[in-house]
Amino acid sequence: MGNGYADIGSGHTGITRRGLLGSAIAVAAVAATGGSATAADGPTTATAAGQPGQVPAIWREFTRDTFTHPQIPYIGRSGYRAGAAHLPRRPVVADVRAYGAKADGTTDCAPAINRAIAAAGRAGGGTVLIPPGTFRIDDLIHIGYDNVVLRGAGSGRTKLYATRNLTELIGVYGSRYGGDKSSWSWAGGLIWLAPTARWDSLVTAVKARAWPFEGWTGNKRDEWETLTTVAPATRGSWSVTVADASELRAGQLVLLRLADDAGHTLLEHMSGGGPGPEAYSWDDKTKLTSYVPYEWPVRIARVQGKKVTFERPLPLDVRPEWDPRLTTHVKALTGSGVEGLTLEAVETPQSPHLLDKGYNGVTFQCAYDCWADDIVVRHVDNGFGLVAASACTLRRTTVAGRGSHHPYFCREGSHDNLIEDFTIEQRTVPAPAGTQLHGINVEGLSSYNVWSRGEMAMGTFDSHRGLPFANVRTDITVHNDGRHGGDAIAGPLFGARFTHWNIRVTNGRAGLMKIDGLAPYSATVGVNEVTEFDQIDVPDFTGALNSRLELYGTTDVVRPRNLYDAQRELER
């Protein structure tokens, strides 16, 4: 596929159904045996260890219905640059030592690091180096310039030692929904990647106690203008027809904006449709409805007359009743990253639930095509955050230390992100009374996000309600001892097309792992036998959920082993 833009059309030219099916069976067999395979291979193969590997029926169905399958979402283009295998290596333009940073563990190096980042930004981008050693920071590190990478010498060699929290540095941050909760429980980071203008407006609002919306269209969600309206189209289409393409160009980042109607048919569509969602009471879910309109950032691949082709297929149908349009947005942060370091906060007891002070790790906000690689966060309240962030890749990340509230949080309409090769370590001290552990969280209409190849010594597959849909967790080992959160006014735990694929639950707890009885139009495939205990949920929707359960009671038998990798292979 080259740069990700070639061979994309309304029918996604270059991928045929016959080619998909043959390639898919081959992928499954290769994954099972480590050798070559052909389309003639049957659904059962032998693993390298001699154990049976099984290709479930739902995978064969998916290869025939890749972009519109009712239970499995197409996530083959999630992540930086539509799933690029390699992250860029930008030229070095600054060394923090030249700006006054010292690896002595006592000098406050935050001003020097931030000056070096600003210099790189003024130069048009590049890499800012932090050499081996321990660098104390008494302030947060903000990356607000495009194409700027903050790079240490490796997570085992470069450490930033953070002494203060976000409440001290910025101020108390209350919830826009009221109560005495601290929004630092799910927002902000001591390394914070967000475009400068957006970050300034957020900090100003917090200091003024005017608790903001945090997404792509500003603190009051009114910082957008219509570029053009969009004609009807179906989920999985790569192209749309617009009324006026004069303000659109290839490479441009736009928002697809879908509003709901009085009958909440957009929310019903996100839930898979049918009698259950139609009977659901939506009007009293005021927190959920505050997340609407649905805003999906996407880069334009090509403009031909009034036909606009995107770098990813449509996540939902586009219907006239939802007033579909392409709009502007606040300036995004693009092409920036953080690599090769440990962020360790001063060790303090974990705060009571929802009263976090903001010893938070790395957060991406209003960021697109950004990344983290080889990053460890230790002794944090919240580990890695995606807040109105899309098309970002978090690779080789670890949450460690005294225990955290949200090891990973994904919220406020974050889409198409990839978190792979991640680790949540066992906490080093017992959890204080009144605290809570979640896990890999997704909420707030976030969609098409992927968690792949993970090792979770604690936590769970968290949803904080808010109707997240079309998200995937695949090839993960988890000791399932966390609990989910979420206000009742935030609506359902799950929308449609949630998929849990090849999940190894070490303590046999079903909660939020086996979701065929909870999530509409979902797929639970290749999960070992589990039982309900501790937090037990009931479905939000009445009637048939139209969900699938395959290869239940097996361990690491399903082929393909990793759903994301297999979908990527279909494009090659």
Side-chain angles (χ1 to χ4, degrees):
M1 301 298 292
N3 64 5
Y5 298 149
D7 301 323
I8 304 174
S10 59
H12 194 42
T13 304
I15 298 181
T16 66
R17 294 190 183 277
R18 179 179 297 176
L20 278 171
L21 180 57
S23 175
I25 298 298
V27 168
V30 169
T33 66
S36 62
T38 70
D41 287 298
T44 301
T45 61
T47 67
Q51 299 300 315
Q54 298 182 44
V55 181
I58 196 171
W59 171 252
R60 297 193 296 276
E61 293 171 13
F62 175 79
T63 64
R64 295 189 292 269
D65 192 12
T66 306
F67 306 120
T68 56
H69 192 276
Q71 283 91 12
I72 297 178
Y74 174 71
I75 40 82
R77 292 207 156 205
S78 294
Y80 169 81
R81 296 299 289 180
H86 301 289
L87 301 173
R89 299 288 289 182
R90 306 214 184 281
V92 175
V93 297
D95 186 313
V96 299
R97 291 172 295 187
Y99 294 83
K102 298 179 180 179
D104 57 13
T106 58
T107 301
D108 175 17
C109 299
I113 296 171
N114 283 321
R115 284 196 298 269
I117 290 170
R122 289 192 297 270
T127 295
V128 175
L129 285 182
I130 310 179
T134 297
F135 296 82
R136 173 174 169 159
I137 57 171
D138 296 340
D139 201 350
L140 65 89
I141 305 302
H142 174 222
I143 301 175
Y145 302 89
D146 291 347
N147 303 316
V148 171
V149 180
L150 183 65
R151 182 190 302 156
S155 60
R157 301 181 66 201
T158 297
K159 180 191 294 184
L160 302 184
Y161 180 68
T163 63
R164 304 176 71 193
N165 58 57
L166 293 170
T167 301
E168 295 173 291
L169 296 172
I170 296 175
V172 172
Y173 187 2
S175 169
R176 67 179 183 252
Y177 300 103
D180 60 356
K181 302 172 184 176
S182 167
S183 284
W184 298 129
S185 299
W186 55 77
L190 292 171
I191 299 177
W192 199 334
L193 292 90
T196 297
R198 186 72 184 100
W199 188 82
D200 287 344
S201 71
L202 287 163
V203 169
T204 298
V206 171
K207 289 182 175 180
R209 300 195 170 217
W211 316 132
F213 283 92
E214 301 155 282
W216 286 98
T217 52
N219 293 350
K220 296 182 180 179
R221 296 198 73 179
D222 58 0
E223 297 176 37
W224 61 275
E225 296 179 0
T226 297
L227 296 171
T228 183
T229 55
V230 181
T234 57
R235 175 173 66 89
S237 300
W238 292 76
S239 300
V240 296
T241 300
V242 300
D244 180 5
S246 62
E247 296 188 68
L248 307 179
R249 66 186 187 280
Q252 182 179 2
L253 185 65
V254 296
L255 287 185
L256 173 65
R257 190 176 191 270
L258 300 177
D260 205 2
D261 58 11
H264 298 297
T265 59
L266 176 61
L267 295 176
E268 292 173 2
H269 177 54
M270 292 174 176
S271 304
E278 290 172 3
Y280 186 77
S281 175
W282 299 100
D283 286 330
D284 60 345
K285 307 303 185 298
T286 52
K287 188 173 184 178
L288 171 62
T289 53
S290 77
Y291 299 146
V292 182
Y294 175 78
E295 295 164 339
W296 183 58
V298 65
R299 202 176 295 281
I300 294 174
R302 187 164 59 245
V303 179
Q304 296 173 298
K306 293 185 177 181
K307 179 182 176 182
V308 177
T309 302
F310 300 127
E311 67 177 347
R312 294 177 174 86
L314 288 177
L316 294 165
D317 288 353
V318 173
R319 301 178 186 173
E321 55 265 37
W322 301 331
D323 189 24
R325 56 189 64 215
L326 300 181
T327 75
T328 62
H329 49 82
V330 298
K331 183 185 182 301
L333 180 71
T334 63
S336 296
V338 56
E339 303 173 348
L341 60 83
T342 289
L343 173 64
E344 180 175 313
V346 58
E347 187 170 358
T348 58
Q350 186 177 345
S351 296
H353 189 222
L354 299 177
L355 297 178
D356 294 347
K357 297 177 181 178
Y359 288 108
N360 294 349
V362 181
T363 291
F364 296 79
Q365 187 159 7
C366 295
Y368 194 95
D369 281 339
C370 293
W371 69 89
D373 185 26
D374 183 27
I375 302 293
V376 175
V377 297
R378 182 173 290 118
H379 304 320
V380 292
D381 293 338
N382 303 282
F384 293 88
L386 295 159
V387 181
S390 294
C392 295
T393 291
L394 279 61
R395 183 174 293 164
R396 300 188 299 164
T397 56
T398 298
V399 181
R402 50 87 156 155
S404 56
H405 179 194
H406 295 95
Y408 292 81
F409 57 94
C410 177
R411 51 177 294 271
E412 201 78 8
S414 290
H415 314 293
D416 303 301
N417 297 293
L418 171 63
I419 302 94
E420 64 180 355
D421 300 308
F422 67 94
T423 302
I424 302 174
E425 294 184 358
Q426 182 58 257
R427 64 189 310 140
T428 54
V429 296
T435 62
Q436 197 163 121
L437 165 68
H438 298 307
I440 50 174
N441 160 260
V442 60
E443 59 180 288
L445 299 186
S446 296
S447 62
Y448 295 86
N449 301 289
V450 182
W451 289 260
S452 170
R453 293 192 302 272
E455 297 287 336
M456 299 173 59
M458 62 179 191
T460 194
F461 290 1
D462 178 32
S463 162
H464 269 39
R465 300 190 176 274
L467 198 64
F469 66 94
N471 297 281
V472 168
R473 283 93 169 227
T474 182
D475 196 8
I476 299 171
T477 300
V478 53
H479 185 82
N480 183 24
D481 62 355
R483 298 171 65 87
H484 74 77
D487 297 327
I489 57 173
L493 278 169
F494 303 102
R497 297 183 303 286
F498 251 83
T499 300
H500 290 175
W501 186 286
N502 194 18
I503 307 301
R504 302 168 291 274
V505 186
T506 61
N507 61 337
R509 178 179 168 223
L512 300 176
M513 304 287 131
K514 182 177 178 291
I515 56 173
D516 57 296
L518 291 175
Y521 290 92
S522 69
T524 302
V525 182
V527 177
N528 56 281
E529 188 170 344
V530 290
T531 57
E532 293 284 6
F533 59 90
D534 192 31
Q535 189 178 43
I536 300 174
D537 290 292
V538 297
D540 293 289
F541 301 113
T542 58
L545 293 176
N546 300 293
S547 293
R548 299 280 291 274
L549 177 66
E550 291 198 42
L551 296 183
Y552 174 61
T554 65
T555 301
D556 220 14
V557 164
V558 61
R559 298 295 182 267
R561 187 171 193 242
N562 185 293
L563 184 61
Y564 174 75
D565 290 346
Q567 290 198 22
R568 291 290 300 162
E569 186 67 25
L570 293 178
E571 293 210 7
R572 297 193 178 101

